[in-house]
Amino acid sequence: MQTPALAGGHPHCHAGAPLLRPAAPALRLACSLGSELRRRSLEWSPLRRERKARPSFCHPAGKATCLLRAGVTMSTRLPMRPPGSVPAVLLGFRPAPALTGALCLRQNLGSSSPGKKQSKENTITINCVTFPHPDTMPEQQLLKPTEWSYCDYFWADKKDPQGNGTVAGFELLLQKQLKGKQMQKEMSEFIRERIKIEEEYAKNLAKLSQNSLAAQEEGSLGEAWAQVKKSLADEAEVHLKFSAKLHSEVEKPLMNFRENFKKDMKKCDHHIADLRKQLASRYAAVEKARKALTERQRDLEMKTQQLEIKLSNKTEEDIKKARRKSTQAGDDLMRCVDLYNQAQSKWFEEMVTTTLELERLEVERVEMIRQHLCQYTQLRHETDMFNQSTVEPVDQLLRKVDPAKDRELWVREHKTGNIRPVDMEI
Amino acid sequence: MQTPALAGGHPHCHAGAPLLRPAAPALRLACSLGSELRRRSLEWSPLRRERKARPSFCHPAGKATCLLRAGVTMSTRLPMRPPGSVPAVLLGFRPAPALTGALCLRQNLGSSSPGKKQSKENTITINCVTFPHPDTMPEQQLLKPTEWSYCDYFWADKKDPQGNGTVAGFELLLQKQLKGKQMQKEMSEFIRERIKIEEEYAKNLAKLSQNSLAAQEEGSLGEAWAQVKKSLADEAEVHLKFSAKLHSEVEKPLMNFRENFKKDMKKCDHHIADLRKQLASRYAAVEKARKALTERQRDLEMKTQQLEIKLSNKTEEDIKKARRKSTQAGDDLMRCVDLYNQAQSKWFEEMVTTTLELERLEVERVEMIRQHLCQYTQLRHETDMFNQSTVEPVDQLLRKVDPAKDRELWVREHKTGNIRPVDMEI
């Protein structure tokens, strides 16, 4: 299917010199794409007029149309946002060099040599999306051949597991994303449970530390014992700090990250779904126009046959009218196909942009979770370290325990008399 | 009070050559003391008979009597136990070199020169115990001068803190001992509480480890996450082991050590108290005999005066009778004083033996507690170490987390189609 050497984007959009300069890697895709395409839509508008003036029937959507469509697509989308802003899901997006290439390929859509004619069997339309026909399909190189990128593998719809209907490829990606976020949320909840356990443990240790058991032990042993008890309070402190840091440095970040995520995903979902709906309605329009053209053509053919038989003036007038109408139906169909292709192109671009964004978000999610789990192990590590240090003062005092010293202290305080008895005399 | 150069044991028991060879340090006091004294009681029995034959009035309790008493003491005490066994409180007792000296000193009790007369003011009897009189008291060297030994500082009784009656010095030592055991028991209970906390903590960790939160996380991140969860089970295991070892190596030994302790202490208590009671009853007998002698002496004096006045035969007979009775009363008093001194000597020896034993037990207790608290810190230390090791596998898997790899896995499984759409043709 893939030949790495070929840049097989669109079957009839090959070989054109790249129209977009490779974007500076630091530029955001949406911005660079938007401005480039707006510029191009102005550049190419004369060409658009020229194309309109030409007989449009059987004229394949050319490069100019393709870019124009893209330009229109962008211009209809941009007013929906404040100038200079980009949707949340696109924030921070940096196109990889490979992606820049992919976008160039996409820009080449429709840049076929105008003279080349294509048979209808070159394409096949499934769920209103038009693919190259399997039998005559030219090689397509993946947009990002080495990356298993989302933008390369979700063009088709998938049969619904329940058997009725289909699920869009993009829907699968969204579900993956939502599930990922759910996982992250559950990890956060898991950490929350861990925090509770630590808090409970710390509470119990602190409480036991306050216990008065053996508080009357005296001397150096008494001091060591008091330190044993105190060390429990220290341990409690260590575990409380652990739980506090778990909260601020693991649980909360994991939870916060998804703050606007679902909203953004919904927006993406609706946007792509709307584009698919538009594609469907425009596909319906194409079908309707195609049917109308067929009728007009049949009418013209019939009238032409009538002319051959009757040779009347009136009929010649009718044929002229029918030809005009047929030509108009052809133009209508071409306009519909053009609109359809514009919609598909718009969808295509949004698919690439959004799936790449989802891919970036997923990398970000995995990295983010990885970092916070590393933070968790780091905190665990520190906790064990600090815990060690709570034992040290106990060990020190245990080394100082001296029964002889303790006896001296006690005897000094409690002695009753050191005069020994003597025999009674008579 | 003390002149180190003087071996001031009993005021009239000085200067005798040591009758007991210093016991080998490894021998147990009770055994060596018992066998030595039994041997001596046989050796000295002729001397005992000799002493009995002599006029006993005004004869101070001599060395032989002293040793005899000790022998009797031992022989009346020993049958209470199986041959070769020693009471629990005496087990493992090793007399210090200083103690061996002290026992020699004690053996010298009563070895005064027979001709030396003592005025009654040389002694003072308090609560039936006879001490050297403060005004005429010779220097006494402590039995164990550098050790603040129990055997040196609890000869007198102490005024009861409640104001009524007195408390024997030995009672204070016993209370100290019982309190020490109570402390040990409370430490054991404290450790028990700690064990409960550890068990609870381990239970909670193990339970959380089984939690299904984020179980559907996939790929290398999923593996790391699973290890995070597993590490909680490992931690739980570490804390369970800690609590199990705390139980077997700290809590239980601390609790077991006092198994027969209270019983042994009660036995000691009764034994010493019985000796004090015997001392009291013998003191009462002395007082009674002294009163009887005084009466007999007054009677003799009266009759002697009558003789001087009347010079009758009958009176001379009466005087003879009165003198005989007076001599007999004198003998009685001497025998009573002898018995009193025997009882006091017995009490003295039991006091030395038992207080030294209590002292040894206290050293043992402090050392034993110290060791088990060291064991506690050791277990704490190991627990922290093992805990560290539960984090290591998590860290390893976190280092292996690779978003690109995870994406490849997921895309391979879930991809819908990598054929990109193309423009529709007319």
Side-chain angles (χ1 to χ4, degrees):
Chain A
M1 216 98 129
Q2 305 154 26
T3 47
L6 271 178
H10 222 260
H12 52 144
C13 295
H14 45 72
L19 293 173
L20 288 175
R21 289 168 308 177
L27 281 176
R28 287 172 178 173
L29 172 67
C31 288
S32 66
L33 191 66
S35 58
E36 280 286 347
L37 293 181
R38 259 174 302 171
R39 187 160 58 77
R40 287 201 177 270
S41 93
L42 291 173
E43 263 175 35
W44 284 90
S45 50
L47 211 126
R48 183 192 181 192
R49 279 195 299 274
E50 175 196 57
R51 196 184 60 79
K52 272 208 157 177
R54 276 187 301 173
S56 54
F57 197 64
C58 289
H59 188 280
K63 180 200 294 176
T65 317
C66 168
L67 286 167
L68 185 70
R69 266 180 305 196
V72 167
T73 303
M74 294 307 287
S75 62
T76 56
R77 186 177 54 173
L78 286 171
M80 289 156 57
R81 306 179 189 110
S85 81
V86 286
V89 293
L90 297 175
L91 278 171
F93 184 84
R94 285 171 188 77
L99 172 62
T100 313
L103 288 168
C104 292
L105 289 178
R106 179 59 198 140
Q107 293 311 320
N108 290 342
L109 266 167
S111 68
S112 64
S113 55
K116 195 179 175 187
K117 296 277 185 289
Q118 307 276 336
S119 78
K120 206 182 172 184
E121 288 73 31
N122 279 351
T123 64
I124 180 170
T125 302
I126 303 164
N127 288 345
C128 311
V129 180
T130 305
F131 294 98
H133 197 282
D135 302 337
T136 59
M137 191 179 71
E139 299 274 1
Q140 276 188 346
Q141 191 186 346
L142 293 174
L143 299 179
K144 302 177 83 179
T146 59
E147 301 191 35
W148 291 89
S149 175
Y150 288 172
C151 73
D152 270 320
Y153 291 95
F154 295 87
W155 291 113
D157 296 335
K158 195 186 176 183
K159 248 201 145 181
D160 196 298
Q162 274 84 45
N164 29 3
T166 55
V167 180
F170 183 75
E171 202 61 40
L172 291 180
L173 288 169
L174 268 185
Q175 282 166 12
K176 156 84 172 160
Q177 219 66 10
L178 290 171
K179 184 179 152 193
K181 282 298 144 182
Q182 178 62 23
M183 294 302 99
Q184 186 173 327
K185 183 173 161 253
E186 289 186 16
M187 288 177 189
S188 178
E189 283 166 10
F190 187 92
I191 298 296
R192 177 72 212 136
E193 291 304 312
R194 175 66 192 255
I195 289 169
K196 279 191 211 160
I197 292 174
E198 292 300 316
E199 285 171 345
E200 176 78 7
Y201 186 54
K203 195 188 78 187
N204 289 336
L205 287 177
K207 195 177 155 199
L208 181 55
S209 169
Q210 294 297 311
N211 188 305
S212 66
L213 282 169
Q216 294 160 57
E217 185 62 71
E218 292 166 299
S220 57
L221 181 63
E223 280 173 45
W225 175 248
Q227 190 61 42
V228 166
K229 287 175 148 194
K230 192 187 169 305
S231 77
L232 263 66
D234 296 342
E235 276 191 76
E237 195 60 36
V238 168
H239 283 273
L240 264 191
K241 270 195 186 135
F242 177 45
S243 68
K245 286 199 164 195
L246 273 184
H247 174 66
S248 63
E249 297 175 18
V250 186
E251 183 211 354
K252 243 179 128 179
L254 283 175
M255 210 51 132
N256 276 351
F257 192 67
R258 58 175 263 290
E259 196 69 37
N260 289 310
F261 182 81
K262 263 196 165 173
K263 223 190 291 175
D264 291 338
M265 285 300 109
K266 275 265 184 294
K267 229 186 265 176
C268 272
D269 195 16
H270 290 156
H271 187 51
I272 297 281
D274 285 350
L275 290 176
R276 276 300 290 270
K277 274 180 207 158
Q278 193 180 37
L279 197 58
S281 76
R282 290 195 178 174
Y283 181 70
V286 164
E287 289 300 289
K288 196 179 161 194
R290 200 185 300 282
K291 207 171 157 191
L293 174 60
T294 306
E295 269 168 33
R296 288 297 163 201
Q297 280 177 324
R298 199 177 301 138
D299 184 51
L300 175 60
E301 200 171 333
M302 196 184 72
K303 282 182 176 154
T304 307
Q305 280 170 1
Q306 281 173 354
L307 178 66
E308 278 167 6
I309 300 162
K310 296 196 181 173
L311 279 166
S312 81
N313 259 355
K314 180 137 193 330
T315 310
E316 200 152 340
E317 200 59 25
D318 279 356
I319 289 173
K320 246 180 171 171
K321 200 176 171 187
R323 180 167 288 127
R324 207 166 53 243
K325 279 189 175 172
S326 175
T327 305
Q328 200 176 333
D331 278 355
D332 274 359
L333 175 58
M334 211 203 87
R335 205 180 59 249
C336 283
V337 168
D338 200 33
L339 284 171
Y340 168 85
N341 283 340
Q342 280 178 39
Q344 183 171 269
S345 188
K346 167 81 177 132
W347 171 71
F348 178 97
E349 275 168 19
E350 284 299 310
M351 275 287 284
V352 172
T353 307
T354 312
T355 56
L356 283 173
E357 178 58 18
L358 291 185
E359 184 176 312
R360 185 189 69 76
L361 283 174
E362 176 63 4
V363 170
E364 196 174 282
R365 183 188 79 93
V366 171
E367 278 297 344
M368 189 268 193
I369 289 174
R370 197 188 66 80
Q371 269 173 33
H372 286 90
L373 294 184
C374 281
Q375 186 58 19
Y376 165 79
T377 63
Q378 178 61 24
L379 291 175
R380 267 286 326 275
H381 179 78
E382 283 171 13
T383 299
D384 294 333
M385 284 292 142
F386 288 134
N387 248 349
Q388 289 281 26
S389 69
T390 65
V391 184
E392 191 41 47
V394 180
D395 276 330
Q396 273 173 22
L397 287 176
L398 283 173
R399 279 192 288 273
K400 285 185 195 160
V401 167
D402 180 352
K405 192 81 198 299
D406 286 4
R407 184 173 63 242
E408 176 181 341
L409 283 172
W410 188 80
V411 169
R412 275 182 191 278
E413 193 179 347
H414 296 93
K415 60 184 174 169
T416 64
N418 60 341
I419 308 301
R420 281 191 296 281
V422 293
D423 271 3
M424 178 186 280
E425 299 160 16
I426 294 164
Chain B
M1 224 97 126
Q2 305 154 27
T3 48
L6 273 176
H10 223 260
H12 51 144
C13 293
H14 43 73
L19 292 173
L20 288 176
R21 290 166 308 176
L27 282 176
R28 288 172 175 172
L29 173 67
C31 288
S32 65
L33 191 66
S35 58
E36 281 285 349
L37 293 181
R38 263 173 299 175
R39 185 161 58 75
R40 294 211 168 263
S41 93
L42 292 173
E43 262 175 38
W44 285 92
S45 49
L47 211 130
R48 184 192 183 188
R49 279 194 298 275
E50 177 198 54
R51 198 182 62 78
K52 272 214 157 173
R54 278 189 297 178
S56 57
F57 197 65
C58 287
H59 189 281
K63 182 196 295 177
T65 319
C66 168
L67 286 167
L68 184 69
R69 267 182 301 192
V72 169
T73 303
M74 293 307 286
S75 61
T76 54
R77 188 175 51 169
L78 285 171
M80 289 158 51
R81 305 177 189 110
S85 82
V86 286
V89 294
L90 296 176
L91 279 171
F93 184 83
R94 283 170 188 81
L99 172 62
T100 312
L103 287 169
C104 292
L105 288 178
R106 180 60 200 142
Q107 293 311 319
N108 291 342
L109 264 171
S111 67
S112 63
S113 53
K116 195 178 176 186
K117 295 279 188 287
Q118 308 276 339
S119 78
K120 206 184 172 184
E121 289 74 28
N122 279 352
T123 65
I124 178 170
T125 303
I126 303 165
N127 288 346
C128 309
V129 180
T130 304
F131 294 97
H133 197 284
D135 302 337
T136 60
M137 190 179 72
E139 297 274 2
Q140 278 188 346
Q141 193 186 346
L142 293 175
L143 299 178
K144 303 178 83 179
T146 59
E147 299 191 36
W148 289 91
S149 175
Y150 288 173
C151 73
D152 271 321
Y153 291 95
F154 294 89
W155 292 112
D157 297 335
K158 193 187 177 183
K159 249 200 144 182
D160 195 298
Q162 272 84 48
N164 28 4
T166 56
V167 181
F170 183 75
E171 203 60 41
L172 290 181
L173 287 169
L174 268 185
Q175 281 166 12
K176 156 83 173 161
Q177 221 66 9
L178 290 172
K179 183 179 151 192
K181 281 300 145 184
Q182 179 62 23
M183 294 302 99
Q184 187 173 325
K185 183 173 160 255
E186 288 186 14
M187 286 177 192
S188 179
E189 284 166 8
F190 187 92
I191 299 295
R192 177 74 210 131
E193 291 304 312
R194 176 64 193 255
I195 289 168
K196 279 191 211 161
I197 291 174
E198 293 299 316
E199 286 172 344
E200 175 78 8
Y201 186 53
K203 196 188 77 186
N204 289 335
L205 286 177
K207 195 177 156 201
L208 182 55
S209 170
Q210 294 298 312
N211 188 305
S212 67
L213 283 168
Q216 295 160 55
E217 185 62 70
E218 292 165 299
S220 57
L221 180 63
E223 281 173 45
W225 176 248
Q227 190 60 43
V228 166
K229 288 175 148 192
K230 190 183 171 305
S231 77
L232 263 66
D234 296 341
E235 275 191 77
E237 195 60 35
V238 168
H239 283 272
L240 264 192
K241 269 193 186 134
F242 177 46
S243 68
K245 287 201 163 191
L246 273 184
H247 174 67
S248 62
E249 296 176 19
V250 185
E251 183 210 353
K252 242 179 128 178
L254 282 175
M255 208 53 132
N256 276 352
F257 191 67
R258 57 174 264 290
E259 198 68 35
N260 289 310
F261 181 83
K262 263 198 163 171
K263 222 190 290 175
D264 291 337
M265 285 299 109
K266 274 268 183 294
K267 229 185 264 175
C268 271
D269 194 16
H270 290 155
H271 188 51
I272 298 281
D274 285 350
L275 291 175
R276 276 299 291 270
K277 273 182 208 155
Q278 194 180 35
L279 197 60
S281 76
R282 292 197 176 172
Y283 181 70
V286 166
E287 288 301 289
K288 197 177 159 194
R290 199 186 301 281
K291 207 171 156 190
L293 175 61
T294 307
E295 268 168 32
R296 290 294 164 204
Q297 279 176 326
R298 200 177 301 138
D299 186 50
L300 175 61
E301 197 170 341
M302 199 183 68
K303 286 187 171 143
T304 308
Q305 278 169 2
Q306 282 171 355
L307 178 68
E308 276 166 11
I309 300 162
K310 297 197 181 165
L311 281 166
S312 81
N313 262 355
K314 177 129 192 331
T315 310
E316 204 152 340
E317 201 61 26
D318 277 358
I319 287 173
K320 246 183 174 170
K321 199 175 169 187
R323 181 168 287 126
R324 206 166 56 241
K325 278 190 177 170
S326 176
T327 303
Q328 200 177 332
D331 277 354
D332 273 357
L333 174 58
M334 211 203 83
R335 204 182 59 251
C336 284
V337 167
D338 200 32
L339 285 170
Y340 168 84
N341 282 340
Q342 280 177 42
Q344 184 171 266
S345 189
K346 169 80 176 133
W347 171 71
F348 178 96
E349 276 170 15
E350 285 298 311
M351 274 287 283
V352 172
T353 306
T354 312
T355 56
L356 283 174
E357 178 58 16
L358 292 184
E359 183 176 312
R360 186 191 68 77
L361 283 175
E362 175 64 4
V363 170
E364 197 173 280
R365 183 188 78 93
V366 171
E367 278 297 344
M368 188 268 195
I369 290 175
R370 196 189 67 80
Q371 267 172 35
H372 286 90
L373 294 184
C374 281
Q375 187 58 20
Y376 164 78
T377 64
Q378 178 62 24
L379 291 175
R380 266 289 323 277
H381 178 77
E382 283 171 11
T383 299
D384 294 333
M385 284 292 143
F386 288 134
N387 247 347
Q388 290 279 25
S389 69
T390 65
V391 184
E392 191 41 47
V394 180
D395 276 330
Q396 271 172 23
L397 287 176
L398 282 174
R399 278 191 289 272
K400 284 184 196 160
V401 167
D402 180 351
K405 193 82 195 301
D406 286 3
R407 185 174 61 243
E408 177 181 341
L409 285 171
W410 188 81
V411 168
R412 274 182 192 278
E413 193 178 345
H414 296 92
K415 60 182 174 171
T416 62
N418 61 339
I419 307 302
R420 282 192 294 282
V422 293
D423 270 3
M424 176 186 281
E425 296 159 18
I426 295 166

